[in-house]
């Protein structure tokens, strides 16, 4: 079976987490992870450009074949959701330029895929990501762990999405 390199993204205007997972059959390995950080005192356009450029650099460096990204959850703070949506757009454009297959997943779907319950908290997600990828410790920051979780979710959901499309 061919190796797949999956990029996971946890979008956010202040912190956009990214993670790279290698999948060979049922074997999953963490390749790398990190976080793009922007500062509130910067112009919005500069913050979005930084997210775009750094995600594009990740794509160029690791050459993923597909990606999983978290959808925007509005919750109580609609203003924050708009910023997250804009950051998400900047990341998606970087991935579209590389021609990546994109899977979009709700926070609940990602938690369910990784932890087994859609109501898992951040610590549970970090713990299970470390366990599933055989990491010596939970990935930090939690945005990077969430991005790895999105990649793991794509590993399990992408084949289902293709079957349902047929």
């Amino acid at each position: 079976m061919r190796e797949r390199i999956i990029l996971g993204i946890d979008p956010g205007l202040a912190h956009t987490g990214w993670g790279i997972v290698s999948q060979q059959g049922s074997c999953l390995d963490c390749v790398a992870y990190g976080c793009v950080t922007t500062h509130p005192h910067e112009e919005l356009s500069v913050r979005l450009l930084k997210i775009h450029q750094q995600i594009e650099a990740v794509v160029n460096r690791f050459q993923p074949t597909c990606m999983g990204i978290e959808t925007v959850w509005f919750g109580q703070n609609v203003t924050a959701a708009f910023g997250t949506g804009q950051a998400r757009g900047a990341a998606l454009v970087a991935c579209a330029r590389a021609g990546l297959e994109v899977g979009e997943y709700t926070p609940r779907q990602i938690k369910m895929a990784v932890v087994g319950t859609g109501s898992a908290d951040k610590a549970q997600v970090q713990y299970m990501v470390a366990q599933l990828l055989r990491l010596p410790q939970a990935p930090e920051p939690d945005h990077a762990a969430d991005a790895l979780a999105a990649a793991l979710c794509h590993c399990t959901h992408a084949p289902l999405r293709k079957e349902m499309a047929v």
Side-chain angles (χ1 to χ4, degrees), residues 89-163:
L92 280 169
V93 169
C95 295
R97 288 174 52 107
L100 298 184
E101 166 203 319
V102 176
E104 300 179 72
Y105 307 100
T106 66
R108 190 168 186 77
Q109 285 176 304
I110 293 170
K111 291 173 183 179
M112 181 68 83
V114 174
V115 181
T117 176
S119 60
D121 63 28
K122 291 269 188 195
Q124 290 172 306
V125 172
Q126 284 178 292
Y127 174 80
M128 284 308 299
V129 164
Q131 295 303 303
L132 292 168
L133 295 173
R134 299 173 312 283
L135 298 173
Q137 61 192 31
E140 291 283 341
D142 60 353
H143 304 287
D146 289 347
L148 288 168
L152 290 169
C153 181
H154 190 72
C155 290
T156 59
H157 283 64
L160 297 174
R161 290 162 34 101
K162 286 182 182 175
E163 285 178 19

Side-chain angles (χ1 to χ4, degrees), residues 31 69 78 86 91 136 151:
V31 176
I69 188 167
V78 175
Q86 290 172 311

Side-chain angles (χ1 to χ4, degrees), residues 1-139:
M1 177 170 262
R2 258 182 66 211
E3 178 186 43
R4 281 195 322 165
I5 305 296
I6 301 102
L7 167 63
I9 295 181
D10 175 42
L13 189 54
H15 305 283
T16 292
W18 60 269
I20 303 286
V21 172
S22 168
Q23 180 183 28
Q24 181 102 26
S26 62
C27 184
L28 300 168
D29 291 301
C30 178
V31 176
Y33 58 86
C35 190
V36 179
T37 301
T38 68
H39 300 285
H41 69 273
E42 294 175 314
E43 291 289 328
L44 175 62
S45 60
V46 172
R47 296 173 80 183
L48 295 173
L49 179 62
K50 183 176 182 181
I51 292 166
H52 177 271
Q53 289 175 330
Q54 290 194 18
I55 295 300
E56 191 169 58
V58 168
V59 169
N60 290 337
R61 179 174 179 197
F62 296 104
Q63 299 290 302
T65 53
C66 54
M67 68 167 298
I69 188 167
E70 189 175 298
T71 59
V72 177
W73 181 74
F74 280 86
Q76 299 291 345
N77 191 344
V78 175
T79 303
F82 283 126
T84 298
Q86 290 172 311
R88 189 172 178 277
L92 280 169
V93 169
C95 295
R97 288 174 52 107
L100 298 184
E101 166 203 319
V102 176
E104 300 179 72
Y105 307 100
T106 66
R108 190 168 186 77
Q109 285 176 304
I110 293 170
K111 291 173 183 179
M112 181 68 83
V114 174
V115 181
T117 176
S119 60
D121 63 28
K122 291 269 188 195
Q124 290 172 306
V125 172
Q126 284 178 292
Y127 174 80
M128 284 308 299
V129 164
Q131 295 303 303
L132 292 168
L133 295 173
R134 299 173 312 283
L135 298 173
Q137 61 192 31

